[in-house]
Amino acid sequence: SYNLVVNYANRNTSNTLSTHQIAAAYATAVTASVTIAVSLGQAVRAGRIPRFLSPVAPYAAVASAGVANVIVMRYNEISEGVAVRDSHGDA
């Protein structure tokens, strides 16, 4: 939720975001975070990952949520570019 607000507040206003895009960014971040956290937790319990690496699971979940959120929130900027103007408002 925090990353969503930060990315929304720091967006470029020349590219608008619909409510659907904001909801998709939030859902993507939550899904990524929960999936990574549960998967790594199960991998540690099953012995596929050493137990001493279990503290890394929450960090990996939060980091993956942040990456997913940035990609979805900034997709318009990535695909369409950003309008750049000089001090006179000329493109």
Side-chain angles (χ1 to χ4, degrees):
S1 296
Y2 176 78
N3 283 339
L4 178 80
V5 172
V6 168
N7 288 326
Y8 182 78
N10 290 325
R11 75 192 186 288
N12 186 295
T13 56
S14 67
N15 293 333
T16 59
L17 288 173
S18 69
T19 304
H20 181 272
Q21 289 170 310
I22 295 169
Y26 186 75
T28 302
V30 169
T31 302
S33 180
V34 170
T35 301
I36 296 294
V38 169
S39 298
L40 288 177
Q42 288 177 347
V44 167
R45 281 190 295 283
R48 292 188 303 263
I49 294 176
R51 190 160 261 336
F52 73 89
L53 291 176
S54 65
V56 175
Y59 175 75
V62 170
S64 65
V67 170
N69 185 268
V70 166
I71 290 170
V72 176
M73 285 286 287
R74 302 294 176 115
Y75 183 75
N76 282 349
E77 294 174 24
I78 295 167
S79 64
E80 297 173 14
V82 176
V84 178
R85 305 198 183 280
D86 63 11
S87 61
H88 304 291
D90 299 324

Coordinates of all heavy atoms in Angstrom, one line a residue:
S1 N 0.8 -1.2 0.0 CA 0.0 0.0 0.0 C 0.9 1.3 0.0 O 0.6 2.2 -0.7 CB -0.9 0.0 1.2 OG -1.8 -1.1 1.2
Y2 N 1.9 1.2 0.8 CA 2.8 2.4 0.9 C 3.5 2.6 -0.5 O 3.5 3.8 -1.0 CB 3.9 2.1 1.9 CG 4.9 3.2 2.0 CD1 4.6 4.4 2.6 CD2 6.2 3.0 1.4 CE1 5.6 5.4 2.7 CE2 7.1 4.0 1.5 CZ 6.8 5.2 2.1 OH 7.7 6.2 2.1
N3 N 4.0 1.5 -1.1 CA 4.6 1.7 -2.4 C 3.6 2.2 -3.5 O 4.0 3.0 -4.3 CB 5.2 0.4 -2.9 CG 6.5 0.0 -2.3 OD1 7.2 0.9 -1.7 ND2 6.8 -1.2 -2.3
L4 N 2.4 1.8 -3.4 CA 1.4 2.3 -4.4 C 1.2 3.8 -4.2 O 1.2 4.5 -5.2 CB 0.1 1.6 -4.1 CG -1.1 2.0 -5.0 CD1 -0.9 1.4 -6.4 CD2 -2.4 1.7 -4.4
V5 N 1.1 4.3 -3.0 CA 0.9 5.7 -2.8 C 2.1 6.5 -3.2 O 2.0 7.5 -3.9 CB 0.6 6.0 -1.3 CG1 0.6 7.5 -1.0 CG2 -0.7 5.3 -0.9
V6 N 3.3 6.0 -2.9 CA 4.6 6.7 -3.3 C 4.7 6.7 -4.8 O 5.0 7.8 -5.4 CB 5.8 6.0 -2.7 CG1 7.1 6.5 -3.3 CG2 5.8 6.2 -1.2
N7 N 4.4 5.6 -5.5 CA 4.5 5.6 -6.9 C 3.5 6.5 -7.6 O 3.7 7.1 -8.6 CB 4.4 4.2 -7.5 CG 5.7 3.4 -7.2 OD1 6.8 3.9 -7.1 ND2 5.5 2.1 -6.9
Y8 N 2.3 6.5 -7.0 CA 1.2 7.4 -7.6 C 1.6 8.8 -7.4 O 1.4 9.6 -8.3 CB -0.1 7.0 -6.9 CG -1.3 7.8 -7.4 CD1 -1.8 7.5 -8.6 CD2 -1.8 9.0 -6.8 CE1 -2.9 8.3 -9.2 CE2 -2.8 9.7 -7.3 CZ -3.3 9.4 -8.5 OH -4.4 10.1 -9.0
A9 N 2.1 9.2 -6.2 CA 2.4 10.6 -5.9 C 3.6 11.1 -6.8 O 3.6 12.2 -7.1 CB 2.7 10.7 -4.4
N10 N 4.5 10.2 -7.1 CA 5.7 10.5 -7.9 C 5.5 10.3 -9.4 O 6.5 10.4 -10.1 CB 6.9 9.8 -7.4 CG 7.3 10.3 -6.0 OD1 7.2 11.4 -5.7 ND2 7.8 9.4 -5.2
R11 N 4.3 10.0 -9.8 CA 4.1 9.8 -11.3 C 4.3 11.1 -12.1 O 4.2 12.2 -11.5 CB 2.7 9.2 -11.5 CG 1.6 10.2 -11.4 CD 0.3 9.6 -11.3 NE -0.8 10.6 -11.3 CZ -1.1 11.4 -10.4 NH1 -0.4 11.4 -9.3 NH2 -2.1 12.3 -10.5
N12 N 4.4 10.9 -13.3 CA 4.5 12.0 -14.3 C 3.0 12.3 -14.6 O 2.3 11.5 -15.1 CB 5.3 11.7 -15.5 CG 5.4 12.9 -16.4 OD1 4.5 13.4 -16.9 ND2 6.7 13.3 -16.6
T13 N 2.6 13.6 -14.4 CA 1.2 13.9 -14.6 C 0.8 14.0 -16.1 O -0.4 14.1 -16.4 CB 0.8 15.2 -13.9 OG1 1.7 16.2 -14.4 CG2 0.9 15.1 -12.4
S14 N 1.8 13.9 -17.0 CA 1.4 13.9 -18.4 C 0.8 12.6 -18.8 O 0.1 12.5 -19.9 CB 2.7 14.2 -19.3 OG 3.6 13.2 -19.2
N15 N 1.0 11.6 -18.1 CA 0.4 10.2 -18.3 C -0.6 10.0 -17.2 O -0.2 9.8 -16.1 CB 1.5 9.1 -18.3 CG 2.4 9.2 -19.5 OD1 2.1 9.8 -20.5 ND2 3.7 8.8 -19.3
T16 N -1.8 9.9 -17.6 CA -2.9 9.7 -16.6 C -3.0 8.2 -16.3 O -2.8 7.4 -17.1 CB -4.2 10.3 -17.1 OG1 -4.6 9.6 -18.3 CG2 -4.1 11.8 -17.3
L17 N -3.5 7.9 -15.1 CA -3.8 6.6 -14.7 C -5.3 6.5 -14.3 O -5.8 7.3 -13.6 CB -3.0 6.2 -13.4 CG -1.5 6.0 -13.6 CD1 -0.8 5.9 -12.2 CD2 -1.2 4.8 -14.4
S18 N -5.9 5.4 -14.8 CA -7.3 5.2 -14.5 C -7.4 4.4 -13.2 O -6.4 3.9 -12.7 CB -7.9 4.3 -15.6 OG -7.4 3.0 -15.6
T19 N -8.5 4.4 -12.6 CA -8.8 3.6 -11.4 C -8.5 2.2 -11.6 O -7.9 1.5 -10.7 CB -10.2 3.8 -10.9 OG1 -10.5 5.2 -10.8 CG2 -10.5 3.2 -9.6
H20 N -8.8 1.7 -12.8 CA -8.5 0.3 -13.1 C -7.0 0.0 -13.1 O -6.6 -1.0 -12.6 CB -9.1 0.0 -14.5 CG -8.9 -1.5 -14.9 ND1 -7.7 -1.9 -15.6 CD2 -9.7 -2.6 -14.8 CE1 -7.8 -3.2 -15.8 NE2 -9.0 -3.6 -15.3
Q21 N -6.2 0.9 -13.6 CA -4.8 0.7 -13.6 C -4.2 0.7 -12.2 O -3.3 0.0 -11.9 CB -4.1 1.8 -14.5 CG -4.3 1.6 -16.0 CD -3.8 2.8 -16.8 OE1 -4.2 3.9 -16.4 NE2 -3.1 2.5 -17.8
I22 N -4.7 1.6 -11.4 CA -4.2 1.7 -10.0 C -4.6 0.4 -9.2 O -3.8 -0.2 -8.5 CB -4.8 2.9 -9.3 CG1 -4.3 4.2 -10.0 CG2 -4.5 2.9 -7.8 CD1 -5.0 5.5 -9.5
A23 N -5.8 -0.1 -9.4 CA -6.3 -1.3 -8.8 C -5.4 -2.5 -9.3 O -5.1 -3.4 -8.5 CB -7.8 -1.6 -9.1
A24 N -5.1 -2.5 -10.6 CA -4.3 -3.6 -11.2 C -2.9 -3.6 -10.6 O -2.3 -4.6 -10.3 CB -4.2 -3.5 -12.7
A25 N -2.3 -2.4 -10.4 CA -1.0 -2.3 -9.8 C -1.0 -2.8 -8.3 O -0.1 -3.5 -7.9 CB -0.5 -0.8 -9.8
Y26 N -2.0 -2.4 -7.6 CA -2.2 -2.9 -6.2 C -2.3 -4.4 -6.1 O -1.7 -5.1 -5.4 CB -3.3 -2.2 -5.5 CG -3.4 -2.5 -4.0 CD1 -2.5 -1.9 -3.2 CD2 -4.4 -3.4 -3.6 CE1 -2.6 -2.2 -1.8 CE2 -4.4 -3.7 -2.2 CZ -3.5 -3.1 -1.3 OH -3.6 -3.4 0.0
A27 N -3.2 -4.9 -7.0 CA -3.5 -6.4 -7.0 C -2.2 -7.1 -7.4 O -1.9 -8.2 -6.8 CB -4.6 -6.7 -7.9
T28 N -1.5 -6.6 -8.4 CA -0.3 -7.3 -8.8 C 0.8 -7.3 -7.7 O 1.4 -8.3 -7.5 CB 0.3 -6.6 -10.1 OG1 -0.7 -6.6 -11.1 CG2 1.6 -7.2 -10.6
A29 N 0.9 -6.2 -7.0 CA 1.9 -6.1 -6.0 C 1.5 -7.1 -4.8 O 2.4 -7.8 -4.3 CB 2.0 -4.7 -5.4
V30 N 0.3 -7.1 -4.4 CA -0.1 -8.0 -3.4 C 0.0 -9.5 -3.8 O 0.5 -10.3 -3.0 CB -1.6 -7.7 -3.0 CG1 -2.1 -8.8 -2.0 CG2 -1.7 -6.3 -2.3
T31 N -0.4 -9.8 -5.0 CA -0.2 -11.2 -5.5 C 1.2 -11.6 -5.5 O 1.6 -12.7 -5.1 CB -0.9 -11.3 -6.9 OG1 -2.2 -10.9 -6.8 CG2 -0.7 -12.7 -7.4
A32 N 2.1 -10.7 -6.0 CA 3.5 -11.0 -6.1 C 4.1 -11.3 -4.7 O 4.8 -12.2 -4.4 CB 4.3 -9.9 -6.8
S33 N 3.7 -10.4 -3.8 CA 4.3 -10.5 -2.4 C 3.8 -11.7 -1.7 O 4.6 -12.5 -1.1 CB 3.8 -9.3 -1.6 OG 4.3 -9.3 -0.3
V34 N 2.5 -12.0 -1.8 CA 2.0 -13.2 -1.1 C 2.6 -14.5 -1.7 O 3.0 -15.4 -1.0 CB 0.5 -13.2 -1.1 CG1 -0.1 -14.5 -0.7 CG2 -0.1 -12.1 -0.3
T35 N 2.6 -14.5 -3.1 CA 3.2 -15.7 -3.8 C 4.6 -16.0 -3.4 O 5.0 -17.1 -3.1 CB 3.0 -15.5 -5.3 OG1 1.7 -15.3 -5.6 CG2 3.6 -16.7 -6.0
I36 N 5.4 -14.9 -3.4 CA 6.8 -15.1 -3.0 C 7.0 -15.5 -1.5 O 7.7 -16.5 -1.2 CB 7.6 -13.8 -3.3 CG1 7.6 -13.5 -4.8 CG2 9.1 -13.9 -2.7 CD1 8.4 -14.5 -5.6
A37 N 6.2 -14.9 -0.6 CA 6.4 -15.2 0.8 C 5.9 -16.6 1.1 O 6.6 -17.4 1.8 CB 5.5 -14.2 1.6
V38 N 4.8 -17.1 0.5 CA 4.3 -18.4 0.7 C 5.2 -19.4 0.1 O 5.6 -20.5 0.7 CB 2.9 -18.6 0.2 CG1 2.4 -20.0 0.2 CG2 1.9 -17.7 1.1
S39 N 5.7 -19.2 -1.1 CA 6.6 -20.1 -1.8 C 7.9 -20.3 -1.1 O 8.4 -21.4 -0.9 CB 6.8 -19.6 -3.3 OG 5.6 -19.6 -4.0
L40 N 8.5 -19.2 -0.7 CA 9.8 -19.3 0.0 C 9.6 -20.0 1.4 O 10.4 -20.8 1.8 CB 10.4 -18.0 0.2 CG 11.0 -17.4 -1.1 CD1 11.5 -16.0 -0.8 CD2 12.1 -18.3 -1.7
G41 N 8.5 -19.7 2.1 CA 8.2 -20.3 3.4 C 8.0 -21.8 3.2 O 8.6 -22.6 4.0
Q42 N 7.3 -22.3 2.2 CA 7.2 -23.7 1.9 C 8.5 -24.3 1.5 O 8.8 -25.5 1.9 CB 6.1 -23.9 0.8 CG 4.7 -23.7 1.3 CD 3.7 -23.8 0.1 OE1 4.1 -23.9 -1.0 NE2 2.5 -23.9 0.5
A43 N 9.3 -23.6 0.7 CA 10.6 -24.2 0.3 C 11.5 -24.3 1.5 O 12.3 -25.3 1.6 CB 11.3 -23.2 -0.7
V44 N 11.5 -23.4 2.5 CA 12.3 -23.6 3.7 C 11.8 -24.8 4.5 O 12.6 -25.6 5.0 CB 12.3 -22.3 4.5 CG1 12.9 -22.5 5.9 CG2 13.0 -21.1 3.8
R45 N 10.5 -24.9 4.7 CA 10.0 -26.0 5.5 C 10.2 -27.3 4.8 O 10.5 -28.3 5.5 CB 8.5 -25.8 5.7 CG 8.1 -24.8 6.8 CD 6.6 -24.9 7.1 NE 5.8 -24.4 6.1 CZ 5.6 -23.2 5.7 NH1 6.2 -22.2 6.3 NH2 4.7 -22.9 4.7
A46 N 10.3 -27.4 3.5 CA 10.5 -28.6 2.8 C 12.0 -28.9 2.7 O 12.4 -30.0 2.3 CB 9.9 -28.5 1.4
G47 N 12.8 -28.0 3.1 CA 14.3 -28.3 3.1 C 15.0 -28.0 1.8 O 16.1 -28.3 1.6
R48 N 14.2 -27.4 0.8 CA 14.8 -27.0 -0.5 C 15.7 -25.8 -0.4 O 16.6 -25.5 -1.2 CB 13.8 -26.8 -1.5 CG 13.0 -28.1 -1.9 CD 12.1 -27.9 -3.1 NE 11.1 -26.9 -2.8 CZ 9.9 -27.1 -2.4 NH1 9.5 -28.3 -2.2 NH2 9.0 -26.1 -2.3
I49 N 15.5 -25.0 0.7 CA 16.3 -23.8 0.9 C 16.8 -23.9 2.4 O 16.0 -24.3 3.3 CB 15.4 -22.5 0.8 CG1 15.0 -22.3 -0.7 CG2 16.2 -21.3 1.3 CD1 14.1 -21.1 -0.9
P50 N 18.0 -23.7 2.6 CA 18.6 -23.8 4.0 C 17.8 -22.9 5.0 O 17.4 -21.8 4.6 CB 20.0 -23.3 3.9 CG 20.3 -23.5 2.4 CD 19.1 -23.3 1.7
R51 N 17.6 -23.4 6.2 CA 16.8 -22.7 7.2 C 17.4 -21.3 7.5 O 16.7 -20.4 7.8 CB 16.7 -23.5 8.4 CG 15.7 -22.9 9.4 CD 15.2 -23.9 10.4 NE 14.0 -24.6 10.4 CZ 12.8 -24.4 9.8 NH1 12.7 -23.4 9.0 NH2 11.8 -25.1 10.0
F52 N 18.7 -21.1 7.5 CA 19.3 -19.9 7.8 C 19.0 -18.7 6.8 O 19.1 -17.6 7.1 CB 20.8 -20.0 8.0 CG 21.6 -20.1 6.7 CD1 22.0 -19.0 6.0 CD2 21.9 -21.4 6.2 CE1 22.8 -19.2 4.8 CE2 22.6 -21.6 5.1 CZ 23.0 -20.5 4.3
L53 N 18.4 -19.1 5.7 CA 18.0 -18.1 4.7 C 16.5 -17.7 4.9 O 16.0 -16.9 4.1 CB 18.2 -18.6 3.3 CG 19.7 -18.8 2.8 CD1 19.7 -19.4 1.4 CD2 20.4 -17.4 2.9
S54 N 15.8 -18.3 5.8 CA 14.4 -18.0 6.0 C 14.1 -16.5 6.3 O 13.1 -16.0 5.9 CB 13.8 -18.9 7.1 OG 14.4 -18.6 8.3
P55 N 15.1 -15.8 7.0 CA 14.8 -14.4 7.2 C 14.8 -13.5 5.9 O 14.3 -12.4 5.9 CB 16.0 -13.9 8.1 CG 16.4 -15.1 8.8 CD 16.2 -16.2 7.8
V56 N 15.3 -14.1 4.8 CA 15.3 -13.4 3.5 C 14.0 -13.4 2.9 O 13.6 -12.6 2.1 CB 16.4 -14.1 2.6 CG1 16.4 -13.5 1.2 CG2 17.8 -13.9 3.2
A57 N 13.1 -14.4 3.3 CA 11.8 -14.5 2.6 C 10.9 -13.3 2.7 O 10.4 -12.8 1.7 CB 11.0 -15.7 3.2
P58 N 10.8 -12.6 3.9 CA 10.0 -11.4 3.9 C 10.6 -10.3 3.0 O 9.8 -9.5 2.4 CB 10.0 -11.0 5.4 CG 10.3 -12.2 6.1 CD 11.2 -13.0 5.2
Y59 N 11.9 -10.1 3.1 CA 12.5 -9.1 2.3 C 12.3 -9.4 0.8 O 12.0 -8.5 0.0 CB 14.0 -9.1 2.5 CG 14.7 -8.1 1.6 CD1 14.6 -6.7 1.8 CD2 15.5 -8.5 0.5 CE1 15.2 -5.8 1.0 CE2 16.1 -7.7 -0.3 CZ 16.0 -6.3 -0.1 OH 16.6 -5.4 -1.0
A60 N 12.4 -10.6 0.3 CA 12.2 -11.0 -1.1 C 10.7 -10.7 -1.5 O 10.5 -10.2 -2.6 CB 12.6 -12.4 -1.3
A61 N 9.8 -11.0 -0.5 CA 8.4 -10.7 -0.8 C 8.1 -9.2 -1.0 O 7.4 -8.8 -1.9 CB 7.5 -11.3 0.3
V62 N 8.7 -8.4 -0.1 CA 8.4 -7.0 -0.2 C 9.1 -6.4 -1.4 O 8.6 -5.5 -2.1 CB 8.9 -6.3 1.1 CG1 9.0 -4.8 1.0 CG2 8.1 -6.7 2.3
A63 N 10.3 -6.8 -1.7 CA 11.1 -6.3 -2.8 C 10.3 -6.7 -4.1 O 10.2 -5.8 -5.1 CB 12.5 -6.9 -2.9
S64 N 9.8 -7.9 -4.2 CA 9.1 -8.3 -5.5 C 7.8 -7.5 -5.6 O 7.4 -7.2 -6.7 CB 8.9 -9.8 -5.5 OG 8.0 -10.2 -4.4
A65 N 7.2 -7.2 -4.5 CA 5.9 -6.4 -4.6 C 6.3 -5.0 -5.1 O 5.5 -4.4 -5.9 CB 5.3 -6.3 -3.2
G66 N 7.4 -4.5 -4.6 CA 7.8 -3.1 -5.0 C 8.1 -3.1 -6.5 O 7.7 -2.2 -7.2
V67 N 8.8 -4.1 -7.0 CA 9.2 -4.2 -8.4 C 7.9 -4.3 -9.3 O 7.7 -3.6 -10.3 CB 10.2 -5.3 -8.7 CG1 10.3 -5.5 -10.2 CG2 11.5 -5.0 -8.0
A68 N 7.0 -5.2 -8.9 CA 5.8 -5.4 -9.6 C 4.9 -4.1 -9.6 O 4.4 -3.8 -10.7 CB 5.0 -6.6 -9.0
N69 N 4.9 -3.5 -8.5 CA 4.1 -2.2 -8.4 C 4.7 -1.1 -9.3 O 3.9 -0.5 -10.0 CB 4.0 -1.8 -7.0 CG 3.1 -0.6 -6.8 OD1 3.6 0.6 -6.9 ND2 1.8 -0.8 -6.6
V70 N 6.0 -1.0 -9.3 CA 6.6 0.1 -10.2 C 6.3 -0.2 -11.6 O 6.0 0.7 -12.4 CB 8.1 0.2 -9.9 CG1 8.8 1.0 -10.9 CG2 8.3 0.8 -8.5
I71 N 6.5 -1.5 -12.0 CA 6.3 -1.8 -13.4 C 4.9 -1.6 -13.9 O 4.6 -1.0 -14.9 CB 6.7 -3.3 -13.7 CG1 8.2 -3.5 -13.5 CG2 6.2 -3.8 -15.1 CD1 8.7 -4.9 -13.5
V72 N 3.9 -2.0 -13.1 CA 2.5 -1.8 -13.5 C 2.1 -0.3 -13.4 O 1.5 0.2 -14.3 CB 1.6 -2.6 -12.7 CG1 0.1 -2.4 -13.0 CG2 1.9 -4.1 -12.9
M73 N 2.5 0.4 -12.3 CA 2.2 1.8 -12.2 C 2.8 2.7 -13.2 O 2.2 3.7 -13.7 CB 2.6 2.3 -10.8 CG 1.7 1.9 -9.7 SD 0.1 2.7 -9.6 CE 0.6 4.3 -9.0
R74 N 4.0 2.4 -13.6 CA 4.8 3.2 -14.6 C 4.7 2.7 -16.0 O 5.5 3.1 -16.8 CB 6.2 3.3 -14.1 CG 6.4 3.9 -12.7 CD 6.0 5.4 -12.7 NE 6.1 5.9 -11.4 CZ 6.9 6.9 -11.0 NH1 7.6 7.4 -11.9 NH2 6.9 7.3 -9.8
Y75 N 3.9 1.7 -16.3 CA 3.8 1.1 -17.6 C 3.6 2.1 -18.7 O 4.2 2.1 -19.7 CB 2.8 -0.1 -17.7 CG 2.8 -0.7 -19.0 CD1 3.9 -1.6 -19.3 CD2 1.9 -0.5 -20.0 CE1 3.9 -2.2 -20.6 CE2 1.9 -1.1 -21.2 CZ 2.9 -1.9 -21.5 OH 3.0 -2.5 -22.7
N76 N 2.6 3.0 -18.4 CA 2.3 4.1 -19.4 C 3.5 4.9 -19.7 O 3.8 5.3 -20.9 CB 1.2 5.0 -18.9 CG -0.2 4.4 -19.1 OD1 -0.3 3.3 -19.7 ND2 -1.2 5.0 -18.5
E77 N 4.3 5.3 -18.7 CA 5.5 6.1 -18.9 C 6.6 5.3 -19.7 O 7.3 5.9 -20.5 CB 6.1 6.5 -17.6 CG 5.1 7.5 -16.8 CD 5.7 7.8 -15.4 OE1 6.9 7.7 -15.2 OE2 4.8 8.2 -14.6
I78 N 6.6 4.0 -19.4 CA 7.6 3.2 -20.1 C 7.2 3.0 -21.6 O 8.1 3.1 -22.5 CB 7.8 1.8 -19.4 CG1 8.3 2.0 -18.0 CG2 8.6 0.9 -20.2 CD1 8.2 0.7 -17.1
S79 N 6.0 2.7 -21.8 CA 5.6 2.4 -23.2 C 5.3 3.7 -24.0 O 5.6 3.7 -25.2 CB 4.3 1.5 -23.2 OG 3.2 2.3 -22.6
E80 N 4.8 4.7 -23.4 CA 4.5 5.9 -24.2 C 5.5 7.1 -24.1 O 5.4 8.0 -24.8 CB 3.1 6.4 -23.8 CG 2.0 5.4 -24.1 CD 0.6 5.8 -23.5 OE1 0.5 7.0 -23.1 OE2 -0.3 5.0 -23.4
G81 N 6.3 7.0 -23.1 CA 7.3 8.1 -22.9 C 6.7 9.1 -22.0 O 5.6 9.0 -21.5
V82 N 7.5 10.2 -21.7 CA 7.1 11.2 -20.8 C 7.2 12.6 -21.6 O 8.2 12.8 -22.3 CB 8.0 11.3 -19.6 CG1 7.7 12.4 -18.7 CG2 8.0 10.0 -18.9
A83 N 6.2 13.4 -21.5 CA 6.2 14.7 -22.1 C 7.2 15.6 -21.4 O 7.0 15.8 -20.2 CB 4.8 15.3 -22.1
V84 N 8.1 16.1 -22.1 CA 9.1 17.0 -21.5 C 8.9 18.4 -22.1 O 8.8 18.6 -23.3 CB 10.6 16.5 -21.8 CG1 11.6 17.4 -21.2 CG2 10.8 15.1 -21.3
R85 N 8.9 19.4 -21.2 CA 8.7 20.8 -21.6 C 9.8 21.7 -21.0 O 10.3 21.4 -19.9 CB 7.3 21.2 -21.2 CG 6.2 20.3 -21.7 CD 4.9 21.1 -21.7 NE 3.8 20.2 -22.1 CZ 3.5 19.9 -23.4 NH1 4.2 20.4 -24.3 NH2 2.5 19.1 -23.7
D86 N 10.1 22.8 -21.7 CA 11.0 23.7 -21.1 C 10.3 24.7 -20.2 O 9.1 24.6 -20.0 CB 11.8 24.5 -22.3 CG 10.9 25.3 -23.1 OD1 9.7 25.5 -22.8 OD2 11.4 25.7 -24.2
S87 N 11.0 25.7 -19.7 CA 10.4 26.7 -18.8 C 9.3 27.5 -19.4 O 8.5 28.1 -18.7 CB 11.5 27.6 -18.2 OG 12.1 28.3 -19.3
H88 N 9.2 27.6 -20.7 CA 8.2 28.3 -21.4 C 7.0 27.4 -21.8 O 6.0 27.9 -22.3 CB 8.7 28.9 -22.7 CG 9.9 29.8 -22.5 ND1 9.9 31.0 -21.8 CD2 11.2 29.6 -22.8 CE1 11.1 31.6 -21.7 NE2 11.9 30.7 -22.3
G89 N 7.1 26.2 -21.4 CA 6.0 25.3 -21.7 C 6.0 24.7 -23.1 O 5.1 24.0 -23.5
D90 N 7.1 24.9 -23.8 CA 7.2 24.3 -25.2 C 7.7 22.9 -25.1 O 8.6 22.6 -24.3 CB 8.2 25.2 -26.0 CG 7.7 26.6 -26.2 OD1 6.4 26.8 -26.3 OD2 8.5 27.5 -26.2
A91 N 7.2 22.0 -26.0 CA 7.6 20.6 -26.0 C 8.9 20.5 -26.7 O 9.3 21.2 -27.5 CB 6.5 19.8 -26.7

